[in-house]
Amino acid sequence: LLARAANETWEASYLMMLQAIAAMLRGHNAAAVPLAQESVALARATGDGWLEAITLHIFAGTHQRNGNAQVAEALYEEEIRIGRRSDDEWILGFALANLATLVARRDLHSAEAMSVEALQMLWRMGDVRVAGNMLLWLSVVAARTGRMVRAARLLGAADAQHERLGAKPEMPPDGLDDLRAATSSGELALARDQGR
């Protein structure tokens, strides 16, 4: 990289992060890991907390896509510590949203609390696309914990949000098809309409 040769550490970190993202978008998840790892190392050398946080987010994402959930969780937690220290809702919202999906494997209560916090931050920031995804995720969490009326209302709200945006959910959560089927008639269909 020219930026590295010119000792432009911040720029080199950012560009390495973009290369990692490009590799993931092309489906080259394993190739993205070393790129993201180097971007984090360079970001740490700059002392810029924001840059460190966003490079950690991408590094965590590479591990998440490669099935290394434990490593991804630790990286998201590190990103969250930076976000809380700097009171940066953008960093916190995205990190909490991603961490919640991993934590849900063992602790739905904690995952739900993280998801609600992320949803509130993302909505305040105006990121209604990701907020819609969080509503969808929360609907599935409610269903998994036996709160079907709540699940139906949240699903209706999520569907309405995606329709307003003209967008499809990104990486729909497991169990969504079952939830849609369970809320397609009767009292639950009414609750879903209320959520809309």
Side-chain angles (χ1 to χ4, degrees):
L1 286 175
L2 292 174
R4 200 178 336 181
N7 286 326
E8 298 290 348
T9 307
W10 197 100
E11 289 80 0
S13 172
Y14 194 81
L15 290 169
M16 293 295 287
M17 180 190 69
L18 294 178
Q19 287 183 328
I21 293 169
M24 285 192 290
L25 291 174
R26 288 191 309 267
H28 302 199
N29 295 327
V33 174
L35 294 167
Q37 183 174 17
E38 188 168 352
S39 74
V40 171
L42 291 167
R44 286 183 172 144
T46 69
D48 184 324
W50 179 83
L51 182 63
E52 183 180 355
I54 63 166
T55 58
L56 279 167
H57 190 81
I58 300 307
F59 191 28
T62 65
H63 282 287
Q64 188 172 2
R65 285 176 182 247
N66 282 298
N68 302 323
Q70 192 172 3
V71 175
E73 278 190 41
L75 292 167
Y76 285 131
E77 287 168 357
E78 189 176 349
E79 179 187 2
I80 287 167
R81 283 192 292 277
I82 294 170
R84 292 208 191 282
R85 206 169 40 239
S86 62
D87 199 27
D88 188 320
E89 287 195 338
W90 188 86
I91 290 169
L92 281 170
F94 286 99
L96 285 165
N98 284 23
L99 181 59
T101 64
L102 295 171
V103 169
R105 294 171 296 127
R106 65 177 182 282
D107 184 353
L108 283 172
H109 179 73
S110 293
E112 185 174 33
M114 287 178 201
S115 297
V116 168
E117 186 179 3
L119 173 60
Q120 291 168 341
M121 290 177 184
L122 293 164
W123 194 265
R124 275 195 301 270
M125 290 185 303
D127 195 329
V128 292
R129 180 187 56 82
V130 180
N133 292 336
M134 293 310 300
L135 285 168
L136 200 59
W137 168 249
L138 282 166
S139 72
V140 171
V141 170
R144 288 181 189 169
T145 55
R147 296 170 293 156
M148 290 304 293
V149 171
R150 177 179 172 78
R153 286 185 180 135
L154 288 165
L155 178 57
D159 286 345
Q161 185 62 19
H162 284 105
E163 287 168 16
R164 274 192 292 274
L165 296 170
K168 292 189 176 195
E170 295 173 21
M171 297 188 303
D174 291 337
L176 180 60
D177 291 338
D178 293 337
L179 178 58
R180 286 195 188 288
T183 60
S184 63
S185 62
E187 177 190 354
L188 294 178
L190 179 61
R192 192 166 155 185
D193 286 343
Q194 291 169 342
R196 294 179 71 77

